Amino acid sequence: MQVFGSSGTRGVANEELTPAFVLRVAKAAGTAWGVGRIAIARDTRHTGQMLADAAASGLASTGTDVDRLGIIPTPGAQAYAEREEVPVVVITASHNPPQYNGVKLVDSDGVELAVSDLEEIEETLLAEAFTVAPWNETGRVRTVEGARREYVDELLASVDRERIADAELTVALDPGHGAGSLTSPEFFRRLGCRVVTVNGQPDGHFPGRNPEPVRSNLEDLGRLVRSTDADIGIAHDGDADRAIFFDEDGEYVEGDATLAALAAAELGPDDTTVSAVNVSQRLVDVADAAGAELELTPIGSTNIITRIRELEAKNRLVPVAGEGNGGIFFPNYRLTRDGAYTAARFLELVADEPVSEIVAPYSGYANVRRNIEYESTAERDAMLDAAANHAQAADAELNTRDGYRLDHGDAWVLARPSGTEPLVRIYAEARDAARANGLADEMYETLAEAKIEA
């Protein structure tokens, strides 16, 4: 695909991702879906209203009625899609910096579109084979009230509310000025938690921190946990489909450790879990201990969703899946990443023991991540060729499912192009930090040299 990556299409708003482009995407979606009604949702980004207006115009021009949901977490929009049985166009760039925006397409079952469905819409877009309704049959646009409230109500009905409330937990919450600012504080309070917040005002400029919930962006949350004696810290990304945690001492918890802990609580013999090719050894160890199978996919939620559906079609049970970035699936709830739901499921564990004890079995792993930018396809291709040559020369097991992953037994390193930004990402993991850094640095230097020579 040329337009849609692993999580929709994204770019710098009003430069790469223009209203004219979003209009065309919406016209292609309206044409390919061929249904009478489609919803539009967005996160808090400054350009969200502008691009949502363009999407509404594009859909209406194909004769499709439009439900405007306003600002709502992506999983809330997915809940609306499933409840109303209508597709949704979500205007969001998720964890990307404030200047970015994007388009994510959700089917009428509340699940992100499969690759094959995205390809159909992309073909319509590239061919500009749009349905054009007569003037008197263009779609009508209406504002929908209450979608956020109904989403929170569904969340409350889907978790062990009594167990969490009985624990009388204090939650320090950082929704990062994103869409979760309008739902998560209420949700955790209605779960019976005392809630204190930082960066809790919806603001599309993200003045307090960048939307990606990584350690370097979350220092305020660690301080809030310590200053309020909170039991846990919870952070979201811009559209609140991810959850990252701090323990009761205000220490950052690696997302891979969270995924491992939740998987350990869910997986049983003959179950299957699904993750991406950059999976942590933590999840490998948990699956082995549970007698469960681990399936690997290319990086990106769309790929994980596709594989889960394939497994479920074969009557394979997948109780939990996801990636170590805080994006976790509980398919028995809904086949979507939901930061608030993930946090509530983790709170069910915290009701019985402190966060630090929950994740203690999954400590002792060092994860390293590097990014190297490129300005042209020539630079990107040169770096990927260098990664391939480096992989062939290494004394390691090579996996090319998505990029180049080298498994050394005690450690691994992966180089792959980003699906959303002009970057080649490098990941490495080992029990020893020096070992992980060494592998990442070696790969980085190889790619950087190739980029210079391109």
Side-chain angles (χ1 to χ4, degrees):
M1 293 187 293
Q2 299 177 2
V3 176
F4 297 104
S6 58
S7 297
T9 182
R10 295 176 190 162
V12 176
N14 224 29
E15 294 180 16
E16 300 161 328
L17 198 89
T18 63
F21 174 74
V22 173
L23 180 87
R24 291 173 60 233
V25 170
K27 289 169 71 173
T31 299
W33 270 324
V35 296
R37 183 164 62 106
I38 296 174
I40 297 175
R42 64 184 180 94
D43 64 19
T44 59
R45 289 171 189 270
H46 175 70
T47 56
Q49 181 73 53
M50 173 184 74
L51 297 177
D53 289 346
S57 295
L59 291 174
S61 75
T62 67
T64 307
D65 291 339
V66 178
D67 292 353
R68 296 291 296 263
L69 306 184
I71 298 172
I72 187 171
T74 293
Q78 292 174 284
Y80 183 87
E82 183 182 47
R83 186 169 60 249
E84 296 292 323
E85 298 183 342
V86 297
V88 181
V89 175
V90 185
I91 306 298
T92 178
S94 187
H95 64 279
N96 288 109
Q99 65 269 31
Y100 281 77
N101 217 322
V103 181
K104 182 178 292 187
L105 302 177
V106 175
D107 212 344
S108 57
D109 58 0
V111 180
E112 291 179 46
L113 288 190
V115 172
S116 59
D117 295 321
L118 286 172
E119 287 175 343
E120 179 185 356
I121 291 174
E122 183 166 300
E123 289 171 2
T124 303
L125 172 65
L126 296 176
E128 297 198 347
F130 308 130
T131 298
V132 179
W135 71 269
N136 58 339
E137 295 179 12
T138 55
R140 296 187 176 185
V141 180
R142 70 178 184 124
T143 299
V144 174
E145 304 289 347
R148 291 196 300 265
R149 182 186 65 251
E150 291 176 337
Y151 164 59
V152 171
D153 288 344
E154 286 189 16
L155 285 171
L156 289 166
S158 302
V159 300
D160 194 339
R161 187 175 181 178
E162 183 176 346
R163 179 179 177 183
I164 296 170
D166 287 347
E168 298 182 344
L169 301 172
T170 295
V171 170
L173 175 65
D174 181 355
H177 304 293
S181 303
L182 298 174
T183 52
S184 283
E186 177 190 356
F187 173 51
F188 294 123
R189 289 189 180 102
R190 291 177 65 183
L191 282 175
C193 301
R194 171 179 172 251
V195 180
V196 291
T197 63
V198 63
N199 303 318
Q201 303 80 19
D203 189 328
H205 293 94
F206 302 96
R209 69 164 172 89
N210 276 333
E212 187 166 17
V214 294
R215 186 199 301 262
S216 59
N217 291 336
L218 299 176
E219 293 179 358
D220 287 346
L221 180 57
R223 284 191 288 267
L224 182 63
V225 171
R226 291 187 290 271
S227 66
T228 60
D229 197 28
D231 296 286
I232 186 173
I234 301 171
H236 293 317
D237 59 337
D239 66 338
D241 65 354
R242 290 160 56 178
I244 288 291
F245 302 101
F246 279 67
D247 71 13
E248 70 280 5
D249 297 317
E251 296 295 325
Y252 177 85
V253 176
E254 295 284 350
D256 287 310
T258 301
L259 175 57
L262 289 166
E266 293 289 323
L267 291 175
D270 301 322
D271 287 345
T272 302
T273 185
V274 181
S275 192
V277 70
N278 63 338
V279 64
S280 170
Q281 188 67 31
R282 297 168 174 88
L283 187 59
V284 176
D285 295 343
V286 165
D288 287 344
E293 296 291 326
L294 171 61
E295 296 262 350
L296 296 185
T297 74
I299 291 174
S301 60
T302 300
N303 298 308
I304 293 176
I305 289 167
T306 298
R307 188 58 185 147
I308 292 172
R309 283 181 145 171
E310 291 170 351
L311 291 166
E312 290 181 336
K314 298 177 182 178
N315 296 318
R316 298 267 294 276
L317 183 62
V318 184
V320 64
E323 299 174 275
N325 60 6
I328 300 177
F329 295 88
F330 294 88
N332 292 334
Y333 161 64
R334 180 176 287 119
L335 192 49
T336 178
R337 302 182 302 182
D338 189 323
Y341 181 81
T342 296
R345 294 301 301 271
F346 199 66
L347 288 177
E348 292 175 1
L349 304 182
V350 180
D352 295 331
E353 59 180 327
V355 174
S356 60
E357 294 182 16
I358 293 169
V359 299
Y362 317 108
S363 62
Y365 298 78
N367 296 91
V368 177
R369 180 172 170 175
R370 306 265 195 273
N371 292 328
I372 181 165
E373 297 180 354
Y374 59 82
E375 296 181 356
S376 67
T377 55
E379 288 183 348
R380 181 197 64 194
D381 293 345
M383 288 193 287
L384 294 179
D385 287 344
N389 293 333
H390 179 77
Q392 293 295 335
D395 182 18
E397 181 180 346
L398 174 62
N399 185 314
T400 58
R401 190 177 298 274
D402 182 7
Y404 300 90
R405 175 175 168 134
L406 301 175
D407 286 296
H408 292 268
D410 66 323
W412 59 268
V413 61
L414 168 70
R416 67 174 290 274
S418 168
T420 59
E421 299 177 79
L423 304 170
V424 175
R425 301 192 187 278
I426 298 169
Y427 310 80
E429 182 182 38
R431 284 191 174 272
D432 179 69
R435 172 72 162 145
N437 277 294
L439 289 171
D441 290 344
E442 184 180 11
M443 182 68 80
Y444 185 94
E445 290 166 6
T446 298
L447 270 58
E449 182 177 346
K451 175 184 171 182
I452 291 172
E453 296 176 353

